[in-house]
Amino acid sequence: MTVIDILFRVDEICKKYDKYDPEKQREANAFLDDAFPRLYSLVEADIEKALAKSDKVSTEKNRAAAVALSAEIRRIKARLMEEVPKLQKLAKKKVKGLSKEDHETRFDIVLALPDRIKAIPDGSTAAASQSGGWGTSSSNKKIKFDSSEERLGSDFYQQTEESDQFRQEYEMRKMKQDEGLDVISEGLDTLKNIALDMNEEIDRQVPLMDEIETKVDKTTSDIRKNNVRLKKTITQIRSSRNFCIDIILLCIILGIAFYLYK
Amino acid sequence: MSSSDPNKLISKADKLTKLSLTRWSADWKSATLLYEQAANGFRVSKDYEKAKLAFEKASKGQEMLASPWDAAKHMESAAALAKELRNWTEVIDFYRRASELYMQCDRPQPASDSLAKAARALEDALPDDAVQLYTDACVILEDDGKEQMAFDLYRAAASIYVKLEKFTDAATFLLRLGLAADKCNARNSQCKAYLSAIIVYLYAHDLKQAEKCYNDCSQIDAFLRSDQNRCASKLLSAYTEGDVEEIKRVAQSSTISNLDNVIIKLARKLPTGDVAELKEEAAKGEEEALDENDLT
């Protein structure tokens, strides 16, 4: 059996026998009576989640994912800020079975909550420097997106290390691209020049080709005329009458030769 | 027949052409034939002097036979042999005669071709005559309306002038090239010619002329819209500012590298002389104008 299997089985067994866990029972019972701890624990859990997400953001390479996570963190923070006044009211309420000191501590931790919430980094410090003015108008808690002045101090440096590198990389890539584009532009210049020269050369050849065409046309017509005349002359020479006369004379000569030989 | 001694052929042909008691009219036909054979024989045996003579006589024979084309061809061969012998005056004479004969045949192109060949042969020895020959060749082509063929000749003539360090003449020739290009609508050659002219003026350290030239050329629409125009304006502004680095950078640019080799060499040697003193001159000129205003 592997370790993972063991872990799963243990988890299932614990879940099954949760109802026998005395500590958990006490918590559940406690929450039945007192809304404050319940709400407070929920807020705490949310803060933990937000902190975990902000850690993820700082290690996230993909810019889009980082931006999405930051937006989520901001939403969580806004919600938590809404919960804080509710908690404050609950803290003020008198609860039986709770000592005065506990009461005070509750009040204090509720007061500390807004600061804790605000301290969650949500990657909005770059925008905070531009919108520093907004940070001062803290009357409307619900709409506050950007960080206050103190956030500029601590988170600012953390971000610029990354953004510095990013900026350097960007500058280097831009330089390389510029160099490449320069090379391309020179090549294109040469090509353009060659193409224009070719254009002119071809323009130069055009009248020459026209001359060649006329001359060749004249020559072909001359040759045709000559051919016709030649044909006429040859047919005249080789006319059938002459041919028959040739054959007859040839036969007579052969006859004479035969006679002489005989 | 052709394998027999060319000398004998020549003497035979001479006999045929010489008028005497027994001969009332010269037999040019057979004589010319014999002359041609003799000339070929001499050429093969590398006896250039005699071959040249034979070609001359053959050409005369063809003239007598009223075929100027063949006569011109023989003259050209004679001239080529004279070139081998480095007899420059004869080269000029023969090529000129050949071109005249070509013109008789009503063929201006071979005429200008023969003059161009003559000029090329004389480039090193007698550059002034060479330029004259190039000019004549260009005139023949222009009369015929075939300016496009003249581009190369103009360029060659301009490069000879540059070699002779006669920069104003070179620039004039380049402007004539621009004019010819304009007539044929060859915009690229035209703009290159104008840019070359401006560079030649700058090399001669004549900023005013260069600027005047630039202003003249800017009147022409085609030049105004071209790359060469931008390059020229950059160069001139670099000169007026006295910025040597800028001048060098413009001279390395690809627009200038597309020009003729001779011009590229000139451009790379820019700036000649002191650019700062040019700036001072220009500034002084402005100051003097102000003084005049003060006096009045």
Side-chain angles (χ1 to χ4, degrees):
Chain A
M1 234 212 229
T2 59
V3 175
I4 292 193
D5 286 341
I6 295 179
L7 282 171
F8 278 153
R9 287 196 70 181
V10 166
D11 273 338
E12 278 197 36
I13 295 175
C14 282
K15 253 189 268 178
K16 218 164 143 190
Y17 295 108
D18 249 346
K19 55 185 175 178
Y20 299 118
D21 193 346
E23 283 190 16
K24 278 235 172 99
Q25 292 277 15
R26 226 184 297 141
E27 280 184 18
N29 284 336
F31 286 168
L32 285 174
D33 300 341
D34 204 345
F36 179 80
R38 194 175 356 131
L39 200 51
Y40 186 69
S41 63
L42 281 172
V43 169
E44 284 262 298
D46 281 332
I47 292 180
E48 294 297 313
K49 256 192 280 175
L51 279 169
K53 279 217 183 97
S54 73
D55 282 332
K56 230 173 110 192
V57 165
S58 57
T59 55
E60 183 67 56
K61 288 243 182 275
N62 188 351
R63 288 282 136 198
V67 164
L69 282 172
S70 313
E72 265 202 55
I73 295 174
R74 270 180 244 134
R75 238 182 291 132
I76 294 176
K77 272 166 51 176
R79 209 167 20 92
L80 291 174
M81 294 307 280
E82 283 176 45
E83 303 283 317
V84 165
K86 268 191 255 171
L87 267 177
Q88 280 180 342
K89 249 189 280 171
L90 280 175
K92 282 202 203 120
K93 232 178 9 174
K94 289 257 181 216
V95 179
K96 64 173 181 203
L98 208 60
S99 66
K100 218 181 184 123
E101 287 144 7
D102 282 337
H103 213 72
E104 308 241 310
T105 44
R106 272 195 192 176
F107 206 61
D108 287 333
I109 51 182
V110 167
L111 278 178
L113 260 185
D115 291 328
R116 277 178 66 194
I117 295 174
K118 277 188 231 158
I120 302 174
D122 62 0
S124 66
T125 47
S129 54
Q130 289 174 359
S131 52
W134 290 6
T136 50
S137 65
S138 50
S139 52
N140 196 353
K141 284 209 169 88
K142 288 197 181 142
I143 308 184
K144 201 166 13 167
F145 289 117
D146 299 307
S147 51
S148 57
E149 313 303 317
E150 52 178 74
R151 191 100 57 89
L152 279 173
S154 57
D155 290 322
F156 190 60
Y157 285 119
Q158 187 206 11
Q159 292 296 65
T160 43
E161 272 175 34
E162 284 179 10
S163 60
D164 233 358
Q165 269 183 1
F166 185 61
R167 200 171 295 150
Q168 268 183 6
E169 216 186 300
Y170 160 74
E171 297 282 332
M172 270 190 23
R173 287 206 190 157
K174 196 160 87 137
M175 251 171 37
K176 282 216 185 84
Q177 275 185 3
D178 281 342
E179 279 173 35
L181 285 173
D182 278 335
V183 168
I184 292 177
S185 94
E186 272 202 38
L188 281 176
D189 246 338
T190 319
L191 273 176
K192 176 177 165 197
N193 185 50
I194 291 177
L196 284 169
D197 283 340
M198 277 168 72
N199 188 17
E200 288 188 359
E201 190 59 42
I202 290 182
D203 283 338
R204 221 185 294 189
Q205 308 276 350
V206 166
L208 295 178
M209 294 299 284
D210 288 337
E211 262 190 55
I212 290 178
E213 203 185 332
T214 39
K215 284 194 185 154
V216 166
D217 282 339
K218 193 158 97 58
T219 318
T220 39
S221 62
D222 275 343
I223 288 180
R224 270 205 210 110
K225 246 191 294 177
N226 276 340
N227 274 344
V228 166
R229 277 166 59 187
L230 255 178
K231 218 180 189 178
K232 243 193 297 178
T233 334
I234 284 181
T235 42
Q236 254 187 358
I237 290 177
R238 283 235 209 125
S239 65
S240 32
R241 190 160 45 134
N242 290 350
F243 199 54
C244 294
I245 292 175
D246 287 336
I247 288 181
I248 289 170
L249 285 172
L250 201 64
C251 295
I252 290 175
I253 287 174
L254 279 174
I256 292 175
F258 187 61
Y259 186 61
L260 279 173
Y261 193 58
K262 262 292 181 90
Chain B
M1 254 304 239
S2 53
S3 54
S4 64
D5 188 17
N7 280 313
K8 267 199 242 150
L9 290 171
I10 277 225
S11 43
K12 215 158 133 188
D14 278 335
K15 263 188 273 181
L16 283 172
T17 55
K18 226 196 298 252
L19 294 170
S20 60
L21 278 172
T22 49
R23 205 178 285 280
W24 293 98
S25 67
D27 186 7
W28 284 112
K29 224 172 181 164
S30 37
T32 317
L33 201 60
L34 291 170
Y35 279 134
E36 281 173 16
Q37 287 169 352
N40 283 329
F42 279 129
R43 198 174 26 188
V44 164
S45 57
K46 302 228 189 273
D47 191 352
Y48 292 133
E49 185 65 52
K50 294 226 183 80
K52 179 166 65 85
L53 213 59
F55 269 123
E56 261 181 275
K57 295 209 179 119
S59 158
K60 189 146 171 298
Q62 293 285 10
E63 262 190 79
M64 293 296 168
L65 291 174
S67 66
W69 177 259
D70 292 308
K73 274 234 145 18
H74 288 314
M75 264 302 169
E76 275 205 341
S77 326
L81 292 165
K83 192 169 72 166
E84 298 283 325
L85 292 168
R86 301 184 172 276
N87 196 340
W88 305 123
T89 40
E90 285 205 341
V91 167
I92 301 179
D93 285 330
F94 288 159
Y95 271 124
R96 275 201 192 275
R97 185 91 192 100
S99 121
E100 280 168 32
L101 289 164
Y102 279 127
M103 290 301 277
Q104 269 182 21
C105 301
D106 217 8
R107 304 279 280 275
Q109 237 189 316
S112 86
D113 271 343
S114 57
L115 288 178
K117 272 189 240 172
R120 216 165 297 139
L122 293 172
E123 259 180 20
D124 296 318
L126 297 166
D128 295 314
D129 289 315
V131 169
Q132 184 60 37
L133 286 164
Y134 272 129
T135 332
D136 293 337
C138 297
V139 165
I140 292 180
L141 284 174
E142 285 188 346
D143 286 336
D144 195 37
K146 291 215 170 36
E147 290 92 358
Q148 291 209 311
M149 314 293 168
F151 291 169
D152 292 320
L153 300 172
Y154 277 128
R155 267 197 281 262
S159 63
I160 296 183
Y161 269 132
V162 163
K163 249 197 293 183
L164 293 172
E165 309 227 335
K166 292 207 185 115
F167 295 119
T168 34
D169 292 322
T172 324
F173 256 86
L174 288 165
L175 292 171
R176 273 175 74 174
L177 172 57
L179 180 63
D182 189 44
K183 262 192 264 172
C184 327
N185 258 335
R187 266 190 215 104
N188 197 26
S189 290
Q190 188 185 7
C191 300
K192 284 205 274 197
Y194 289 143
L195 183 59
S196 315
I198 294 176
I199 290 179
V200 164
Y201 275 132
L202 285 175
Y203 190 76
H205 211 54
D206 198 349
L207 183 60
K208 289 208 192 11
Q209 269 291 1
E211 288 193 344
K212 207 157 66 86
C213 183
Y214 176 69
N215 288 334
D216 289 334
C217 300
S218 311
Q219 309 278 345
I220 299 168
D221 206 18
F223 183 66
L224 203 56
R225 272 186 276 142
S226 70
D227 284 336
Q228 281 85 4
N229 182 24
R230 255 181 288 137
C231 192
S233 68
K234 265 195 273 182
L235 202 52
L236 283 171
S237 62
Y239 250 90
T240 46
E241 309 221 333
D243 190 357
V244 179
E245 282 304 313
E246 179 67 28
I247 294 175
K248 286 215 193 313
R249 210 171 326 135
V250 173
Q252 298 292 334
S253 76
S254 57
T255 320
I256 294 205
S257 310
N258 288 335
L259 300 172
D260 214 15
N261 275 329
V262 181
I263 312 287
I264 296 179
K265 269 187 265 182
L266 290 184
R268 301 252 195 267
K269 289 202 204 128
L270 285 176
T272 51
D274 201 3
V275 185
E277 78 177 25
L278 274 179
K279 205 165 70 153
E280 278 179 27
E281 272 185 38
K284 232 193 295 172
E286 288 178 24
E287 282 179 22
E288 283 178 11
L290 286 172
D291 281 341
E292 283 182 25
N293 285 337
D294 281 348
L295 285 173
T296 52

